[in-house]
C-alpha cells in the first residue's frame, strides 16, 4: 500500500466510500419502495373491506347457499373484481372466489374478536397474498370476511427494481471512479510540476525559485513555502560566503605584514635592535591573527550549537566588581575614569561564569577603546524578572544609521582605528551570541560624538532555580 501513488490511493478510497454510500442508498430505496407498495395495497384492502362488509350485512348473508347465490350473480361494484374468502366460526369456508380456489389458498384464520380489520401476508406456495380480515356477526352467525390481494405483481416489480439496481450500480460506480481518478490526476498535476521544477533546480544557482501557480490554493502556498525555504538557504549561504571572504581578508592583512617585515629585514644585514623591532612587529601581528582565529573558532562553535553551556547561578555584582578593578589600570592609562554602580548584595543569574565575564569584558573593553576622554560606568539593576547591566561611555559614539550593524560580524565603523586597537569587528558578534545562549537580549543607545551605552538584559533567577 505504501508504494501506491496518492492518486491511486485517493481513487481507491473514493471508490470504497462511494460503494458503501451507494449500496446503502440502493438498499434503502428498495425497502422504501417495498414499504410504499405494501402501504398502498393495505389502503386498498381496507377500503374494500369497508365496502364488502355492508353489502353482506345488508343482504344478511350467513349460509353457503346465500353467498353463492348473491355473490356469484351480483353485479354490485363493491363485489365485482374483489377476491374474497368468507369463513364461519368453525373455520369452514362459506364462500371463496374462483381465483383463490384455483390457487389453493388455505382456510384463513378468523379475524380479531374486537371487529377491527387485521392485515397479514399469507405465503401460499409460489403465490403469496395479502389478506385483510374482519369479523362480523350476521344473524346468529359469526363470520370473518377475508379480502385477498395477490402479491405476485408487487414481488415481480420489486425483483425487477432490484435487478436494475444491481446492474446499474456497478456501471455508475465505474463511471464515477473513472471520473474521480481523472479529477485527482488533474488536482495533483501541479504537485508533479513542482517536483519536476525542484528536481531541475541547479544546486549552484542559489537564486532559482519555483514558479508559484496563479491560484491561491494549497499548492500555491506549498510553492511559496518552498521558495521561502530556498530564500533562507540562499541567505545562509551568502552569509557564510561573506563571512569566509571577510575572515580571509582579515587574516591576509596581518599575514602580509609579517611576510613583508620578514622579507624586508632579510634583504640586508640588520642590527640587533632593528631585528628586535621587526620581531616585535611580527609577534604583534601574529597575536592579532591568533586572537582573530580564536574568535572565529568561538563563533563557529557557537553557530553549530556545539557548546552546551552548563548554566549555574552566577553572582553578577561580584563579577562586575572584579572586572572593574581589573580594567581600572588600562582606563587610567588613557586618562579615563572607570566606575561601577553596583549593589552590595549578590545579584545572581543563571549563566556560565567564563562566558559572562567575556561578554562584559568585550563591552567594557570597547568602551575604553572608543573613548578618548571622560568616564566609563558599569551599572547593574534588577527586578523580579530581569537583571540589566549597562556599560556606558562618553566616547566617540556610533552614527544612528550604523546602529543596526554593530552586532554584525566584521562590522566596524572605522576599520583603521579598530584595527590599530586590535579589533576585527567580532567582539560584539561574540557578545550577542553569548547573550542568546543565556536567553537574554542586548540593546545599544548612542549619541554620535558624545557616547554610547550598551544594555544587556538577562532573565532573573527563578525561585525554583535558587533551591536547585
Ligand atoms: P571591534 O573589535 O572592532 O571593537 P566589535 O564587534 O566589538 O569589534 O565592535 C564593532 C564596531 O562597533 C567597532 O569597530 C566600533 O566601530 C563600534 N563600537 C563598539 N563599541 C563601541 C563603543 N563603546 N563606542 C563607539 N563605537 C563602538
Amino acid at each position: 500500500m505504501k508504494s501506491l501513488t496518492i492518486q491511486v490511493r485517493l481513487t481507491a478510497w473514493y471508490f470504497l466510500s462511494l460503494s458503501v454510500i451507494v449500496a446503502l442508498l440502493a438498499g434503502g430505496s428498495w425497502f422504501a419502495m417495498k414499504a410504499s407498495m405494501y402501504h398502498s395495497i393495505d389502503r386498498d384492502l381496507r377500503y374494500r373491506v369497508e365496502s364488502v362488509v355492508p353489502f353482506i350485512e345488508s343482504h344478511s348473508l350467513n349460509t353457503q347457499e346465500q353467498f353463492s347465490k348473491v355473490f356469484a350473480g351480483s353485479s354490485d361494484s363493491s363485489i365485482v373484481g374483489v377476491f374474497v374468502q368468507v369463513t364461519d366460526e368453525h373455520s369452514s369456508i362459506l364462500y371463496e372466489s374462483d381465483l383463490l380456489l384455483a390457487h389453493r389458498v388455505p382456510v384463513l384464520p378468523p379475524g380479531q374478536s374486537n371487529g377491527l380489520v387485521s392485515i397479514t401476508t399469507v405465503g401460499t406456495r409460489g403465490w403469496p397474498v395479502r389478506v385483510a380480515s374482519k369479523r362480523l356477526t350476521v344473524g346468529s352467525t359469526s363470520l370473518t370476511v377475508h379480502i385477498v390481494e395477490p402479491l405476485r405483481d408487487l414481488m415481480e416489480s420489486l425483483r425487477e427494481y432490484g435487478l436494475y439496481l444491481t446492474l446499474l450500480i456497478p456501471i455508475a460506480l465505474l463511471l464515477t471512479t473513472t471520473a474521480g481518478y481523472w479529477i485527482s490526476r488533474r488536482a495533483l498535476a501541479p504537485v508533479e510540476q513542482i517536483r519536476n521544477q525542484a528536481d531541475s533546480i541547479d544546486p549552484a544557482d542559489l537564486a532559482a525559485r519555483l514558479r508559484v501557480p496563479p491560484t491561491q490554493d494549497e499548492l500555491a502556498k506549498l510553492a511559496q513555502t518552498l521558495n521561502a525555504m530556498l530564500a533562507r538557504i540562499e541567505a545562509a549561504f551568502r552569509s557564510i560566503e561573506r563571512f569566509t571572504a571577510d575572515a580571509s581578508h582579515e587574516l591576509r592583512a596581518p599575514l602580509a605584514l609579517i611576510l613583508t617585515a620578514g622579507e624586508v629585514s632579510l634583504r640586508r644585514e640588520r642590527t640587533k635592535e632593528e631585528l628586535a623591532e621587526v620581531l616585535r612587529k611580527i609577534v604583534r601581528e601574529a597575536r592579532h591573527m591568533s586572537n582573530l582565529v580564536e574568535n572565529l573558532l568561538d563563533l563557529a562553535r557557537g553557530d553549530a550549537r556545539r557548546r552546551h553551556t552548563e548554566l549555574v547561578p552566577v553572582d553578577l555584582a561580584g563579577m562586575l566588581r572584579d572586572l572593574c578593578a581589573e580594567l581600572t589600570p588600562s582606563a587610567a592609562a588613557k586618562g579615563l575614569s572607570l566606575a561601577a554602580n553596583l549593589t552590595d548584595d549578590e545579584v545572581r543569574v543563571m549563566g556560565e561564569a567564563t562566558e559572562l565575564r567575556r561578554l562584559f569584558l568585550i563591552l567594557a573593553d570597547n568602551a575604553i577603546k572608543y573613548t578618548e576622554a571622560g568616564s566609563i560606568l558599569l551599572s547593574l539593576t534588577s527586578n523580579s524578572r530581569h537583571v540589566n547591566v549597562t556599560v556606558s561611555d562618553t566616547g566617540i559614539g556610533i552614527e544612528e544609521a550604523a546602529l543596526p550593524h554593530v552586532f554584525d560580524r566584521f562590522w566596524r565603523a572605522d576599520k583603521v582605528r579598530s584595527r590599530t586597537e586590535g579589533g576585527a569587528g567580532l567582539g560584539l558578534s561574540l557578545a550577542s551570541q553569548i547573550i542568546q545562549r543565556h536567553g537574554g537580549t542586548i540593546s545599544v543607545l548612542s549619541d554620535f560624538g558624545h557616547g554610547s551605552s550598551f544594555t544587556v538584559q538577562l532573565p532573573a533567577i527563578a525561585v525554583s532555580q535558587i533551591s536547585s
Side-chain angles (χ1 to χ4, degrees):
M1 192 71 182
K2 262 183 197 156
S3 59
L4 293 179
T5 60
I6 293 183
Q7 197 183 336
V8 173
R9 272 185 280 166
L10 266 181
T11 315
W13 279 113
Y14 179 66
F15 173 75
L16 270 178
S17 48
L18 202 68
S19 306
V20 172
I21 293 169
V22 169
L24 286 176
L25 277 179
S29 80
W30 189 87
F31 281 108
M33 179 128 173
K34 185 177 168 187
S36 133
M37 285 168 125
Y38 271 92
H39 189 69
S40 119
I41 285 181
D42 292 353
R43 212 175 38 225
D44 209 37
L45 283 174
R46 275 176 205 284
Y47 172 74
R48 286 185 199 167
V49 170
E50 298 309 338
S51 47
V52 170
V53 167
F55 179 86
I56 294 173
E57 283 171 339
S58 63
H59 289 79
S60 304
L61 307 177
N62 59 6
T63 63
Q64 250 178 4
E65 295 71 39
Q66 283 171 331
F67 270 109
S68 21
K69 205 169 112 205
V70 176
F71 262 64
S74 174
S75 58
D76 193 298
S77 63
S78 50
I79 310 272
V80 175
V82 180
F83 307 124
V84 201
Q85 186 186 80
V86 185
T87 52
D88 62 13
E89 67 262 47
H90 311 297
S91 284
S92 40
I93 295 175
L94 298 182
Y95 177 77
E96 188 170 34
S97 304
D98 293 345
L99 187 79
L100 306 187
L101 207 60
H103 282 95
R104 298 209 184 101
V105 173
V107 180
L108 298 165
Q112 286 177 25
S113 53
N114 54 11
L116 292 176
V117 178
S118 61
I119 299 183
T120 50
T121 300
V122 178
T124 54
R125 224 174 303 132
W127 208 72
V129 290
R130 191 83 170 150
V131 182
S133 314
K134 183 173 167 120
R135 207 186 260 210
L136 67 151
T137 312
V138 179
S140 57
T141 318
S142 167
L143 312 170
T144 301
V145 178
H146 307 280
I147 308 292
V148 178
E149 178 66 35
L151 289 176
R152 203 173 45 190
D153 286 353
L154 178 144
M155 295 288 185
E156 191 56 28
S157 304
L158 279 176
R159 206 181 61 79
E160 270 175 23
Y161 182 58
L163 195 72
Y164 291 144
L165 286 178
T166 26
L167 282 177
L168 288 177
I169 285 174
I171 296 175
L173 277 179
L174 195 77
L175 288 176
T176 45
T177 307
T178 316
Y181 184 77
W182 182 76
I183 290 169
S184 61
R185 203 172 126 140
R186 270 194 63 127
L188 291 172
V191 176
E192 191 59 18
Q193 260 174 29
I194 290 177
R195 197 185 66 80
N196 284 338
Q197 279 183 39
D199 262 354
S200 61
I201 285 182
D202 180 356
D205 181 9
L206 285 171
R209 296 288 182 272
L210 300 170
R211 201 179 57 77
V212 178
T215 47
Q216 283 301 311
D217 56 10
E218 291 85 345
L219 292 169
K221 282 189 196 127
L222 174 70
Q224 279 161 356
T225 307
L226 289 174
N227 279 346
M229 191 184 79
L230 287 173
R232 282 200 299 277
I233 293 175
E234 186 188 4
F237 193 82
R238 300 258 181 256
S239 129
I240 292 171
E241 255 182 0
R242 214 169 32 243
F243 183 69
T244 317
D246 287 345
S248 329
H249 183 78
E250 287 301 324
L251 286 169
R252 209 165 50 191
L255 254 185
L257 274 169
I258 290 173
L259 270 177
T260 324
E263 279 166 3
V264 169
S265 51
L266 282 175
R267 264 187 215 148
R268 58 177 172 82
E269 272 303 289
R270 300 278 169 184
T271 63
K272 219 170 157 194
E273 287 73 37
E274 278 174 332
L275 281 178
E277 178 55 31
V278 170
L279 281 177
R280 265 195 294 277
K281 211 177 193 175
I282 288 176
V283 167
R284 196 176 60 232
E285 290 307 321
R287 190 167 290 139
H288 181 70
M289 276 173 74
S290 160
N291 280 341
L292 186 63
V293 169
E294 212 45 55
N295 285 346
L296 283 174
L297 275 176
D298 281 344
L299 275 171
R301 279 196 209 111
D303 277 352
R305 298 278 182 276
R306 267 188 227 130
R307 276 175 97 152
H308 293 297
T309 325
E310 178 75 14
L311 301 186
V312 290
V314 177
D315 172 28
L316 275 193
M319 175 187 285
L320 291 174
R321 207 171 290 118
D322 293 349
L323 200 69
C324 199
E326 214 173 290
L327 289 175
T328 303
S330 50
K334 279 187 83 178
L336 306 170
S337 74
L338 178 61
N341 187 2
L342 309 166
T343 54
D344 288 335
D345 303 330
E346 283 193 350
V347 177
R348 298 200 295 172
V349 292
M350 291 303 285
E352 211 270 330
T354 329
E355 290 213 322
L356 287 176
R357 208 185 106 72
R358 186 166 189 192
L359 157 69
F360 296 118
L361 188 65
I362 290 170
L363 297 180
D365 203 41
N366 275 352
I368 298 172
K369 265 197 300 194
Y370 301 107
T371 304
E372 295 308 331
S375 58
I376 289 144
L377 180 69
L378 301 184
S379 54
L380 175 69
T381 55
S382 67
N383 58 34
S384 59
R385 296 174 61 204
H386 298 117
V387 175
N388 293 321
V389 178
T390 304
V391 181
S392 45
D393 62 54
T394 55
I396 58 171
I398 304 163
E399 275 181 281
E400 203 176 334
L403 281 177
H405 303 293
V406 288
F407 300 103
D408 290 353
R409 292 171 185 187
F410 296 111
W411 186 89
R412 287 162 290 181
D414 177 348
K415 285 200 186 325
V416 181
R417 178 189 176 125
S418 167
R419 194 162 186 289
T420 46
E421 301 276 4
L426 292 178
L428 287 178
S429 319
L430 270 169
S432 66
Q433 209 180 54
I434 294 172
I435 293 163
Q436 264 174 31
R437 277 204 292 270
H438 283 79
T441 55
I442 183 165
S443 55
V444 52
L445 288 174
S446 188
D447 185 2
F448 189 48
H450 297 101
S452 323
S453 76
F454 287 80
T455 301
V456 175
Q457 187 170 72
L458 295 167
I461 208 156
V463 181
S464 59
Q465 288 170 315
I466 297 173
S467 54
S468 64

